[in-house]
Amino acid sequence: MTLNRRIVLKGIGIAGVATVFGTGVGAANGPGKGVAPGEETIAEIADAAGFDLLLAAVDYIAETNPDSELVAGLLNDEQYTVFAPTDDAFTALLEAIELESFADIDEALGAGTVEAVVSYHVTTGRRASNSVVPPRGERRIETLLDGARFTVNAEGAITAVGNTATIVDADISASNGIIHVIDSVLLPLEL
């Protein structure tokens, strides 16, 4: 990716990234169809789209746990679906818990908390919106956090253990998975 393309992608925001990659809710191959793999990895798309705090969390996990299976999986060819909180979502969380950094979170809530929270946003396999958002009722999503789950309803609202979120953009296809953008950091614990 060239620097100019990176600047353009950051400037147009995540909705524009969906347009650039020909994605968005139900757009890839029509309603009910799978989403074809993209050319860039989840990390490359997240970087280009300005998910700076999500990537900072993954970097923090890599620094504090070099053997992290989560980090290794996100950086190779394994297929994952990431429910990616926006930077505003991470900022709101840090403000709500009155902490300033990921290190502060692990210090206050216990080592490995940041990795647990990020793992709660990832599930194995390519899960397009048609396999995440049910036509009615709720669908359980199993996460990488030791079998922890959250539910998604027909409107794209997510109910987690410690809070709720909404899918604001879906089906951003990467070579190693799919990204669904959410407006809040999902918490696998009550604060």
Side-chain angles (χ1 to χ4, degrees), residues 61 68 70 114-123 143-146:
I61 294 165
S68 169
L70 171 67
V114 173
E115 184 166 7
V117 169
V118 174
S119 295
Y120 194 55
H121 290 78
V122 182
T123 186
T143 72
L144 294 185
L145 180 59
D146 298 325

Side-chain angles (χ1 to χ4, degrees), residues 66-121:
D67 297 326
S68 169
E69 290 180 28
L70 171 67
V71 173
L74 289 175
L75 298 178
N76 67 27
D77 292 335
E78 291 180 45
Q79 296 291 307
Y80 288 103
T81 299
V82 177
F83 294 83
T86 63
D87 279 1
D88 287 344
F90 274 107
T91 300
L93 173 64
L94 290 168
E95 288 173 358
I97 60 177
E98 299 179 351
L99 297 173
E100 295 183 13
S101 70
F102 296 118
D104 291 346
I105 291 173
D106 271 357
E107 186 175 317
L109 300 175
T113 300
V114 173
E115 184 166 7
V117 169
V118 174
S119 295
Y120 194 55
H121 290 78

Side-chain angles (χ1 to χ4, degrees), residues 1 5 9 14-29 33-46 48-49 51 78-82 84 125-129 169-181:
M1 172 181 299
R5 182 170 176 206
L9 288 173
I14 193 64
V17 171
T19 302
V20 168
F21 290 103
T23 61
V25 179
N29 294 317
K33 305 287 182 180
V35 178
E39 293 181 16
E40 297 178 306
T41 67
I42 290 170
E44 290 168 335
I45 292 171
F51 286 87
E78 291 180 45
Q79 296 291 307
Y80 288 103
T81 299
V82 177
R126 295 181 63 81
R127 303 229 21 215
S129 58
D169 200 357
D171 296 335
I172 300 169
S173 186
S175 60
N176 63 335
I178 294 178
I179 302 168
H180 302 299
V181 182

